[in-house]
Amino acid sequence: MPKTSSRTWQIANQSLNVAINSANANKSTPLSTTGMIKSYFMAVSASCSVALGLNSIVPRLKSVSPSTKVILGRLVPFAAVASAGALNVFLMRSEEIRQGIDVYPFNSATSEGNTGEKVPATSLGKSQKAATIAVGETAISRVVTSTPVMVIPPLLLLRFQKTELLKKRPYLAMPINIG
């Protein structure tokens, strides 16, 4: 894949990540627009740096076999997306870790007031530890959820390319890859 196309997809992916992370952030500790823009550019830079760096390092590895280099090369996009996705979460939600997030009593997101209407529960206070755990779990989930899509298809296609079907009909590689 050309480097420009790869960068374009990394930028698109990080734009989506910023939108998701912003929408899912704990609103008791908001991130400024400047902070969001800064986090976005740092995550895009990290993503592109990982992709470009690994694309240049993998072919020069001397201690691994050629087939292992091919497999590692196929996993470079996953490494770029996973590392940037996790970094994006930490950058976009860094204020939560610094200031803490509101903690509420268990099972009491809302309670009924004297009039029978739902009343939001009162915060027990802010917790940096709860924020660190929440942000960390979110970052891990970004890696785990991208794994099936970013790891399994490239490895299956690599295996499939070694079959007689694709050796005789290489033009089928693109439709199979898209599929």
Side-chain angles (χ1 to χ4, degrees):
M1 180 182 299
K3 290 178 183 175
T4 304
S5 177
S6 176
R7 281 185 281 229
T8 302
W9 284 114
Q10 292 295 343
I11 290 168
N13 182 47
Q14 290 315 308
S15 298
L16 177 63
N17 280 346
V18 166
I20 291 169
N21 292 333
S22 177
N24 292 329
N26 185 301
K27 300 305 180 199
S28 68
T29 310
L31 181 66
S32 68
T33 303
T34 305
M36 190 179 305
I37 292 168
K38 180 179 169 185
S39 297
Y40 169 77
F41 283 111
M42 288 174 69
V44 169
S45 298
S47 175
C48 292
S49 297
V50 168
L52 294 173
L54 289 177
N55 276 329
S56 69
I57 290 171
V58 168
R60 292 186 283 148
L61 293 174
K62 294 184 188 330
S63 61
V64 297
S65 68
S67 60
T68 303
K69 286 182 189 178
V70 171
I71 291 170
L72 291 174
R74 296 288 175 106
L75 296 177
V76 165
F78 168 69
V81 166
S83 61
L87 177 64
N88 190 303
V89 170
F90 280 101
L91 292 170
M92 290 292 296
R93 298 179 65 183
S94 61
E95 283 301 306
E96 292 177 30
I97 294 172
R98 274 196 288 282
Q99 296 180 20
I101 58 173
D102 285 331
V103 178
Y104 296 93
F106 179 73
N107 236 0
S108 63
T110 59
S111 59
E112 293 199 21
N114 295 339
T115 60
E117 67 182 53
K118 300 281 184 183
V119 178
T122 304
S123 171
L124 297 174
K126 289 197 177 259
S127 169
Q128 290 176 316
K129 184 174 182 178
T132 302
I133 291 169
V135 173
E137 287 177 351
T138 303
I140 290 168
S141 77
R142 296 292 191 268
V143 174
V144 171
T145 57
S146 67
T147 300
V149 179
M150 299 291 298
V151 172
I152 296 170
L155 296 180
L156 286 176
L157 185 60
L158 183 63
R159 184 77 173 161
F160 199 60
Q161 286 174 329
K162 295 178 182 178
T163 65
E164 286 301 314
L165 174 70
L166 279 184
K167 285 181 181 176
K168 291 179 182 176
R169 297 173 191 87
Y171 59 87
L172 289 176
M174 183 60 76
I176 290 171
N177 192 5
I178 292 171

